[in-house]
Every structure is written in structure tokens, then in C-alpha cells.
Amino acid sequence: MKDLLHLPLLGTLLKNRWFWRLSRLSLLAITLLVIASGWHHHLIPGIAANDPLMYTNFATFGLWVLWLMGLVLLALVAGRFWCAVCPFGWLNGLFSRYGFKRSLPNWLGGMLPVTLLLVGLQISVYLLAIHRYPDYTARLLALLIIALIFSSVVFRKRAFCQLFCPAGAVLKCYARIAPFELRVRDTQVCADCSSVQCVSEKSFWQRYTLGPAVLHLQRQRPGCPVDIHPRQINDNSDCTLCMNCVENCCNDNLRLGFRPWLAELGQAFVGRGEALLLLVLTGMVTANFSKVNIPLREWIFAAPKQTALLLGWQADGYFLLAALWITLLLPLLLVVPGLILYRLRFLQISIVDEARQPVQKVDKRSLFDGLSELLLPAIPLLLGAHLILAVVKLNAKLGYFNLVLSDWSGIKSYLAVNLMGTLPQPGVLISIDLLKWVVLLLLVVSYLLAIFAVKKVAATREGRTFYVWGALINISLLAGLYLHTVIRWLFLR
């Protein structure tokens, strides 16, 4: 399984560009159906329920249950494989061929824009509950298509993925530990290759003959959408698995397959933009985990609630403060204890003169300089917690799948289940007694993987002892919050 490209049938399929084109076209058609099925549906006239179509409409169920939760399951095994079949990224690459092809400015080159968009989505979830209403969900997708067209016309390559795709940003983090990779087989073969055909975008002629008929067509070879030569891939975070280099390579020197978990985490580097994204993701996962733990939820949201009361803000003001709190300030507070301990490695004791001026040069590093390094081993724990949320959601709501397929609008299904009683209420897939042990096992395994990640990252960092204790404090604090929730929610019912 280390090289799927050499397996019979499967390898041929993975190397076939029409397989990927048809996959992306199919998903694009499904996306358009999601928009169409939710565009004019908000509430059911005459029904007092606040969100009757949340799980019966194709738009809300398809995006927020099937896709969003399924994406976490996919990331666990295949990392950024969704990026390989994503119709938005594919359209971005196609449209950008005919735009102005400008490079992204440096201030947009990091992950700050997409992280701010993720914060904005959380604000819209709190203020508008966009995940509960089909028309809001459809408009969100429509806005993303508009952003896709704009970024494609103005910028080169896949600027949309870098600026406006929170899913791709989250998968970028999770892909670092996923047991799936695209790598070169022999680096020397790449070093000796002069054509660089794998990433070249030069035009070429193709000749088609059928009997006496001859047709010549000029085509352009698709290059790498993220400007990476396969030989330069050191981890899974940037490669989108588009398979262009596999199709173009004239030496058949690429492999696609599985590897050990956390294989390259020790050599990974997390920039400030990705560190900010991990902070936001930590806050969002922790807040979602706390929904079923009332004491923890009250503690987490106490600060924005009291601030809103002092300012005299109404519900909308509180929701705005709560979204900013859980995405920015709360996760920062959670990592500060470990960060302070880690920063003690830079503690310097200097001899001072009578004016109390240090004789030696003062270390001017910021307190947050080590933040990105400390967040790196927390990725397995975040993915594990995210996976638990996905498993619980799918277990509770996947029973609606047949109803959604039979009634895309969701109106008839809701009435049949909740008013007329002609259809039974969809139940869970597995019982709570079994689910609680599955959830506990996932949490324990993810915590152990996070401890193992601390060991791997510490081996390549300065101040190893301080780093280990700082990182262990961070992941243990998060794991403790999650374990407390699981015990109160599932084991003390």
C-alpha cells in the first residue's frame, strides 16, 4: 500500500485525468443541487418550529452533516484528498488561465485571510444560525462561487483556496499527521531530469489520426497549482494531491500511498499564519465540545456574557462577543500556561551596573515566538476531538439520509415525521452504551498520539526539557476538558 499508483486497475484509474475530471464534475453538480434545493426554503409556513428543515432539507443536511462531518473522517486517513476532487479548486485552476494572473501580495500570502473568514463564519453561525436554514446555506455557497470567480480573474493559480477556503486550511493542518502522501520515488531521477515536465505549463501539440484524417491540437500542460516541485515536498500540508505532476511525469517517478502516522512531524514547521489558524480551530472545537457539558459551557461563556451585560448589549452583541471570545481569546488563554513554561528556556541572568542597565545583550524575543512550535503536537488531539464530534453527529443524524433523498425540500418529510406521524423519527445508528466507549477510545488514542508527537517534535527543537513540559501542559489541559465533557455527558447520564 506504499504505492497505489502501481496497483492493478486502481493505479490506472488514479493516473487517468478523466477519472478526476468526472469526479470533480459530479461533485460540482451536487453542489449546484445543494444550492438549488435550499435557495427558497427558510421556514415552513404555519409551523412554529424555529428550524424545521435543518436535517430534512438537502442543503443543510448535505453541507453541514454529510460533507462537513465526512470531511473529518476523510482527513483522518487521506489528509488533503478532498482538495484533489474539490470542484471549487478545480474551477479556480481553470478560470485562472484566462484572468490577469497577478501574484498574491505578500500581506495576503499567509493564512490570515482564510483564518479571518473562519472567524467570520463562526460569527454568522452565532448571529444568523446559517447552518440551520437552507436558504442561508445556499447563499453561503453562492457567495463562495462569486469569490471563486473574482479570485480566478484577478490572481494566478488557486488563489481562492488560499484566500477563501476554510476547509482547505483546516485540512492543511490535519494533513501533517495523516498516513497518506505523494512523494518522489528517487530524488536523483528528478535531479537529472532536464525537462521538468511534471510542473511545466508549456504548450504542446497533439496529433490525432483516424485513417487518412489528421488533426493537430495545441494544448497546455497543467502545472502545479501551488507551485511546488515534487522533489521539494517535505510534508503533506501544501500539496493538494491534484495529480497533475503524476500525469505529467515522463519518468514515472512519483508514488502515492500510505506511511506511518506522524512520520514527518518532527521536521515540520508551522508559520505564524498557521499558528493563528490552529488557535482558532482549538477554540471552535473546544466550544463545540462544551455544548453538552453545562458547567463547562457556563464557564467558557462567562466572560462574553458578563461583558455584554456590562455594556448593555442585547443578544446580537453577546453573540458577537462570544464568537470572538471562543475563536481568539479563549484558545490563547488555554495555551498561555504551557507557553510561559516553554519561554523559561530563554530566561537570562545578567550582571547589571549601578544604573541597572544589563551588561549583556537583552533577548528581545516576544512571548508568542514559541507559540507555533507548541501548537504542532496538539494537532492529533484536535483531530481526535473533531473526529468525536463528527462520529456523534453522524450517529445521531445519518438516519435522515433516506428522507433527504426522497424529499429534497424537506417539507414533506418534516410534516410526515413530526406532525402526521406517518414516518418514524430517525434513530441513532449505534446505541449510547456502545458510542460512549467508542468516544472514550478515540479521545485516549488521540491524547497518546499527541504525547508521541511531543516526543517527535522535541527531538528537533532547542530547550527540549522546557518544550516537553510546555507542550504536555497544553495538550493535557485540552484533553482534561474533553475528558470531563465525555464523562459527564455519556457516562454520568
Side-chain angles (χ1 to χ4, degrees):
M1 298 297 287
K2 289 186 177 180
D3 191 359
L4 302 180
L5 298 178
H6 276 183
L7 292 180
L9 297 180
L10 180 59
T12 303
L13 193 64
L14 292 175
K15 293 179 182 179
N16 191 309
R17 64 182 61 192
W18 278 104
F19 166 75
W20 298 104
R21 288 175 179 174
L22 291 176
S23 300
R24 294 157 187 162
L25 277 173
S26 301
L27 290 170
L28 177 61
I30 294 175
T31 302
L32 296 178
L33 287 176
V34 167
I35 296 175
S37 62
W39 192 259
H40 294 295
H41 296 289
H42 188 77
L43 298 172
I44 301 177
I47 301 298
N50 292 328
D51 47 11
L53 302 177
M54 182 176 180
Y55 296 117
T56 57
N57 184 275
F58 184 64
T60 46
F61 182 84
L63 182 66
W64 303 107
V65 177
L66 284 184
W67 179 79
L68 191 60
M69 299 298 104
L71 201 64
V72 182
L73 299 178
L74 184 63
L76 175 69
V77 178
R80 297 194 68 168
F81 186 79
W82 167 256
C83 298
V85 296
C86 175
F88 282 26
W90 177 54
L91 289 179
N92 187 191
L94 290 179
F95 292 164
S96 63
R97 298 180 184 179
Y98 310 102
F100 295 107
K101 298 182 181 180
R102 295 181 179 177
S103 298
L104 280 174
N106 291 333
W107 61 279
L108 287 177
M111 302 188 69
L112 179 61
V114 70
T115 303
L116 293 179
L117 179 60
L118 190 62
V119 174
L121 285 175
Q122 185 64 49
I123 293 174
S124 64
V125 165
Y126 277 1
L127 291 179
L128 302 175
I130 60 173
H131 62 303
R132 295 179 175 271
Y133 300 103
D135 56 342
Y136 289 168
T137 299
R139 291 171 189 174
L140 172 64
L141 291 175
L143 286 175
L144 288 177
I145 291 178
I146 294 174
L148 184 153
I149 296 173
F150 168 78
S151 57
S152 300
V153 170
V154 177
F155 300 111
R156 62 188 294 268
K157 301 281 184 173
R158 293 193 180 183
F160 168 81
C161 303
Q162 192 167 351
L163 295 175
F164 301 110
C165 184
V170 174
L171 291 178
K172 176 184 174 74
C173 299
Y174 290 161
R176 291 185 177 278
I177 63 173
F180 195 73
E181 65 180 5
L182 174 69
R183 295 292 189 275
V184 297
R185 293 196 185 96
D186 188 346
T187 56
Q188 189 59 43
V189 172
C190 289
D192 296 337
C193 180
S194 59
S195 66
V196 199
Q197 184 173 308
C198 58
V199 293
S200 174
E201 297 182 0
K202 294 181 179 180
S203 299
F204 63 97
W205 288 91
Q206 278 191 335
R207 179 176 179 174
Y208 299 86
T209 59
L210 182 60
V214 178
L215 176 65
H216 290 85
L217 290 178
Q218 187 178 24
R219 301 183 59 188
Q220 183 178 2
R221 184 176 290 108
C224 178
V226 290
D227 290 327
I228 299 178
H229 191 285
R231 189 177 56 172
Q232 299 172 341
I233 300 177
N234 297 318
D235 56 45
N236 290 348
S237 60
D238 292 321
C239 177
T240 59
L241 300 174
C242 68
M243 305 301 288
N244 286 347
C245 57
V246 174
E247 298 171 8
N248 296 336
C249 180
C250 56
N251 297 310
D252 193 22
N253 192 39
L254 291 165
R255 63 177 180 85
L256 179 72
F258 293 91
R259 63 170 188 178
W261 283 84
L262 315 179
E264 299 168 345
L265 199 61
Q267 291 76 35
F269 171 77
V270 176
R272 292 185 177 181
E274 191 173 351
L276 178 60
L277 175 68
L278 282 172
L279 269 181
V280 171
L281 188 61
T282 300
M284 294 176 66
V285 170
T286 303
N288 277 285
F289 231 91
S290 70
K291 287 182 178 179
V292 293
N293 188 343
I294 297 178
L296 179 60
R297 183 180 64 192
E298 292 296 325
W299 176 78
I300 287 178
F301 289 95
K305 183 182 294 185
Q306 294 301 320
T307 304
L309 289 174
L310 290 174
L311 296 175
W313 287 8
Q314 302 300 319
D316 288 349
Y318 162 70
F319 288 143
L320 177 62
L321 289 175
L324 295 176
W325 168 258
I326 69 167
T327 55
L328 297 174
L329 297 178
L330 174 65
L332 190 59
L333 290 177
L334 292 176
V335 301
V336 160
L339 184 60
I340 292 176
L341 180 59
Y342 179 45
R343 289 292 295 158
L344 287 178
R345 72 188 178 102
F346 296 115
L347 178 66
Q348 295 182 353
I349 302 175
S350 305
I351 300 176
V352 297
D353 56 19
E354 295 181 356
R356 296 185 179 181
Q357 297 295 323
V359 176
Q360 300 178 6
K361 186 177 180 180
V362 178
D363 185 1
K364 296 183 178 180
R365 291 185 179 93
S366 167
L367 173 65
F368 301 104
D369 279 351
L371 179 62
S372 59
E373 296 178 354
L374 280 179
L375 290 174
L376 193 58
I379 295 178
L381 182 60
L382 287 179
L383 178 55
H386 209 162
L387 181 63
I388 290 173
L389 294 174
V391 168
V392 171
K393 189 78 168 184
L394 290 172
N395 180 63
K397 304 303 179 184
L398 203 57
Y400 285 87
F401 184 67
N402 290 333
L403 298 179
V404 172
L405 289 182
S406 61
D407 175 27
W408 288 4
S409 70
I411 297 176
K412 294 180 181 179
S413 297
Y414 179 85
L415 296 177
V417 172
N418 296 279
L419 292 183
M420 295 179 289
T422 55
L423 290 176
Q425 186 79 28
V428 297
L429 300 183
I430 60 175
S431 67
I432 299 298
D433 292 332
L434 177 59
L435 179 67
K436 65 182 182 182
W437 294 108
V438 172
V439 168
L440 183 61
L441 178 63
L442 289 174
L443 183 59
V444 171
V445 170
S446 63
Y447 178 60
L448 294 177
L449 284 175
I451 294 177
F452 181 64
V454 170
K455 179 181 178 181
K456 288 186 68 70
V457 177
T460 59
R461 299 300 192 271
E462 297 179 0
R464 180 174 180 178
T465 301
F466 289 101
Y467 178 85
V468 167
W469 284 108
L472 285 178
I473 286 176
N474 280 347
I475 62 174
S476 298
L477 179 59
L478 288 175
L481 292 176
Y482 300 153
L483 180 62
H484 181 264
T485 298
V486 169
I487 296 299
R488 286 187 59 92
W489 172 35
L490 295 174
F491 286 85
L492 300 179
R493 295 182 292 118

